């Protein structure tokens, strides 16, 4: 499907990266009115708790407006064994060249072994919110500190 749609997905072509490209192409880029994308594939959400009643999905949502993600939220995965498995898969992807994958955080896994109560949270990018409120299409226009702006 990605090849048919001529979507670029540089190596490594993992399931998570391909799903992210497809979701961006078919869903995210076409959202104009505020909308929530819910129940993401678990493979795309290594820190999110696995869905309680829908295998393969995560308890996660994202808020999109005008094709831009404003908010990301999920129930925290608090099972240390599952979290370690997810971290190991991320580390493998990172060693294969996935620059968005993370290393194993053994300290976090150790903290989970001591017990993390059910928790969750959400994050809203102030830069993207500012883009929406000021009707800007380019994130460079709302970055507060010029030295943090990517070079053109």
């Amino acid at each position: 499907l990605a090849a048919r749609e001529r979507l670029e997905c540089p190596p490594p072509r993992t399931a998570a990266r391909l799903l992210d490209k497809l979701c961006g192409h078919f869903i995210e880029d076409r959202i104009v009115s505020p909308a929530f994308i819910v129940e993401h594939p678990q493979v795309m959400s290594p820190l999110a708790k696995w869905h309680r009643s829908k295998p393969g999905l995560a308890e996660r949502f994202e808020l999109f407006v005008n094709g831009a993600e404003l908010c990301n939220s999920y129930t925290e995965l608090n099972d240390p064994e599952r979290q370690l498995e997810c971290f190991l898969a991320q580390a493998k992807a990172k060693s294969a060249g996935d620059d968005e994958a993370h290393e194993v955080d053994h300290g976090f896994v150790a903290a989970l072994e001591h017990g993390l109560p059910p928790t969750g949270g959400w994050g809203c990018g102030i830069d993207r919110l500012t883009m929406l409120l000021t009707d800007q299409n380019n994130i460079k226009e709302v970055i507060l500190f010029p030295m943090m702006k990517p070079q053109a």
Side-chain angles (χ1 to χ4, degrees), residues 29-59:
D29 291 345
R30 299 174 186 200
I31 296 174
V32 177
S33 299
F36 289 95
I37 299 176
V38 299
E39 299 175 346
H40 290 61
Q42 194 279 326
V43 69
M44 295 177 67
S45 310
L47 296 174
K49 184 173 276 190
W50 297 2
H51 199 287
R52 297 158 210 234
S53 61
K54 298 178 181 175
L57 299 180
E59 294 182 355

Side-chain angles (χ1 to χ4, degrees), residues 73-84:
S73 177
Y74 53 87
T75 305
E76 297 278 349
L77 177 57
N78 59 355
D79 180 324
E81 291 175 8
R82 282 188 173 178
Q83 186 62 74
L84 181 58

Side-chain angles (χ1 to χ4, degrees), residues 21-142:
K21 288 289 182 184
L22 292 168
C23 185
H25 179 71
F26 287 108
I27 301 171
E28 295 170 4
D29 291 345
R30 299 174 186 200
I31 296 174
V32 177
S33 299
F36 289 95
I37 299 176
V38 299
E39 299 175 346
H40 290 61
Q42 194 279 326
V43 69
M44 295 177 67
S45 310
L47 296 174
K49 184 173 276 190
W50 297 2
H51 199 287
R52 297 158 210 234
S53 61
K54 298 178 181 175
L57 299 180
E59 294 182 355
R60 177 180 170 194
F61 74 80
E62 293 175 314
L63 170 62
F64 278 80
V65 179
N66 288 337
E69 175 190 326
L70 289 184
C71 176
N72 183 23
S73 177
Y74 53 87
T75 305
E76 297 278 349
L77 177 57
N78 59 355
D79 180 324
E81 291 175 8
R82 282 188 173 178
Q83 186 62 74
L84 181 58
E85 289 172 16
C86 291
F87 278 149
L88 290 171
Q90 285 273 303
K92 184 177 178 182
K94 185 171 188 70
S95 68
D98 186 345
D99 57 349
E100 293 183 12
H102 299 280
E103 299 288 337
V104 176
D105 186 343
H106 292 286
F108 185 69
V109 174
L112 290 177
E113 289 171 346
H114 292 289
L116 175 69
T119 187
W122 63 274
C124 178
I126 192 68
D127 48 5
R128 295 187 183 200
L129 182 59
T130 303
M131 285 175 62
L132 176 69
L133 295 174
T134 60
D135 197 26
Q136 297 294 324
N137 292 324
N138 190 328
I139 198 165
K140 292 179 193 176
E141 300 301 323
V142 299

